[in-house]
Amino acid sequence: DTGVSQNPRHKITKRGQNVTFRCDPISEHNRLYWYRQTLGQGPEFLTYFQNEAQLEKSRLLSDRFSAERPKGSFSTLEIQRTEQGDSAMYLCASSSVLDENQPQHFGDGTRLSIL
Amino acid sequence: GENVEQHPSTLSVQEGDSAVIKCTYSDSASNYFPWYKQELGKGPQLIIDIRSNVGEKKDQRIAVTLNKTAKHFSLHITETQPEDSAVYFCAASMIQWGTYKYIFGTGTRLKVLA
C-alpha cells in the first residue's frame, strides 16, 4: 500500500494557461475524490468517481474544470483558462467499498499558484 | 445541504494536558464522522472516525464522542505531546446510501507547548 500519489506537488502558471493534475489512488480503491483547499479552510468537495463513472460534481466545478478517470485507475483534473481564484491546494482521495465505513485516504495534494 | 461548524479555530495547551475540539452538523441524515490531522505541506491523515450508531470510540490517547440528538461530535486528545501540534479537521458524510462526499469543518490549529 503505497498511498495516494499526486503529481506535480507544485504548479506555478500564468493566468489564462491550462493546467492538468494527476492522481494515482491506492491500488484497487474503486472510489476517487477531488477536493480543493484554500488557506485556512477545510477541503471542499469538487467531484467523485466510482470506477470510471463520474457520479457527482460540485457547484464549485465550473465549466473550466474537467476531471476524468478513463480506466478506473488514475484520474486527471484539468483547469482551463486559469484565474487568480483557482490558486489553492488540490487534494485527491480514494476509498474502497471493502473497507468498513470506506474512509477516504488523502494524497499530499498539488499546490497551484496563479501568477 | 450539510454544514459543519468547528470550534475553536486555535487551541494552545501545555504538554500533557488534554485538548478538546468540537463540531456541529446540520443534516440529521449524516451518519459518518471522520477526524483528520493535517501537518504543514501534507494531506489530511485520518486519525479516528465514528458511525452514527455509536456514541463513543477510543484509540489510545484519542477519543471521539457523538451526540446525535444535539448533532454535535467532539475530538478528545489526552496526554498531549508536541507531535500532536497540527491542524485538525472534522467532517460529516452520508455513507451507504449517500454520495460519500465529506463536508469539512474549518479546522482547529492545535499547539502543544513543551
Side-chain angles (χ1 to χ4, degrees):
Chain A
D1 185 347
T2 57
V4 177
S5 176
Q6 293 190 245
N7 289 287
R9 292 295 316 278
H10 305 275
K11 180 71 177 177
I12 301 173
T13 191
K14 293 181 179 179
R15 182 169 54 90
Q17 297 295 306
N18 299 343
V19 294
T20 300
F21 313 139
R22 177 180 170 123
C23 172
D24 288 273
I26 294 172
S27 179
E28 298 182 358
H29 275 196
N30 64 331
R31 290 204 172 100
L32 187 148
Y33 311 78
W34 286 98
Y35 291 82
R36 182 173 71 184
Q37 185 178 28
T38 54
L39 203 61
Q41 299 296 316
E44 295 175 291
F45 171 79
L46 292 178
T47 188
Y48 105 94
F49 293 83
Q50 181 162 311
N51 300 314
E52 65 274 9
Q54 189 173 16
L55 297 186
E56 185 173 353
K57 294 194 291 186
S58 162
R59 292 191 308 271
L60 295 174
L61 215 65
S62 74
D63 292 344
R64 297 184 297 105
F65 288 70
S66 62
E68 294 183 344
R69 194 183 184 198
K71 297 183 180 179
S73 57
F74 74 91
S75 175
T76 58
L77 177 67
E78 180 183 17
I79 309 175
Q80 295 182 327
R81 305 181 303 281
T82 51
E83 301 174 354
Q84 292 284 354
D86 297 332
S87 294
M89 174 79 85
Y90 290 85
L91 293 164
C92 176
S94 68
S95 67
S96 170
V97 295
L98 300 178
D99 292 336
E100 185 181 9
N101 301 329
Q102 302 171 41
Q104 295 178 26
H105 301 270
F106 283 81
D108 286 337
T110 294
R111 181 168 294 283
L112 174 64
S113 298
I114 306 298
L115 300 177
Chain B
E2 175 65 280
N3 182 55
V4 176
E5 295 188 357
Q6 183 172 347
H7 300 281
S9 56
T10 60
L11 179 60
S12 293
V13 299
Q14 291 292 330
E15 183 178 0
D17 287 351
S18 295
V20 180
I21 302 170
K22 299 181 179 182
C23 290
T24 60
Y25 61 100
S26 60
D27 193 337
S28 57
S30 291
N31 61 358
Y32 176 65
F33 308 92
W35 284 88
Y36 284 84
K37 175 184 182 182
Q38 188 173 28
E39 297 177 329
L40 197 62
K42 299 284 190 179
Q45 178 187 10
L46 179 70
I47 56 172
I48 197 167
D49 57 4
I50 192 167
R51 289 286 296 271
S52 58
N53 58 350
V54 176
E56 183 174 358
K57 184 177 178 181
K58 189 174 182 180
D59 183 4
Q60 300 183 348
R61 296 186 297 109
I62 295 173
V64 57
T65 59
L66 171 66
N67 183 326
K68 281 177 54 180
T69 303
K71 290 189 282 189
H72 63 69
F73 55 113
S74 300
L75 177 72
H76 305 253
I77 305 174
T78 59
E79 302 172 16
T80 54
Q81 302 167 2
E83 51 265 39
D84 293 331
S85 296
V87 180
Y88 291 81
F89 291 98
C90 61
S93 180
M94 286 182 278
I95 64 174
Q96 291 186 325
W97 60 80
T99 64
Y100 299 88
K101 67 183 179 185
Y102 289 175
I103 305 300
F104 283 88
T106 50
T108 296
R109 182 174 298 279
L110 174 64
K111 296 181 183 178
V112 180
L113 308 172

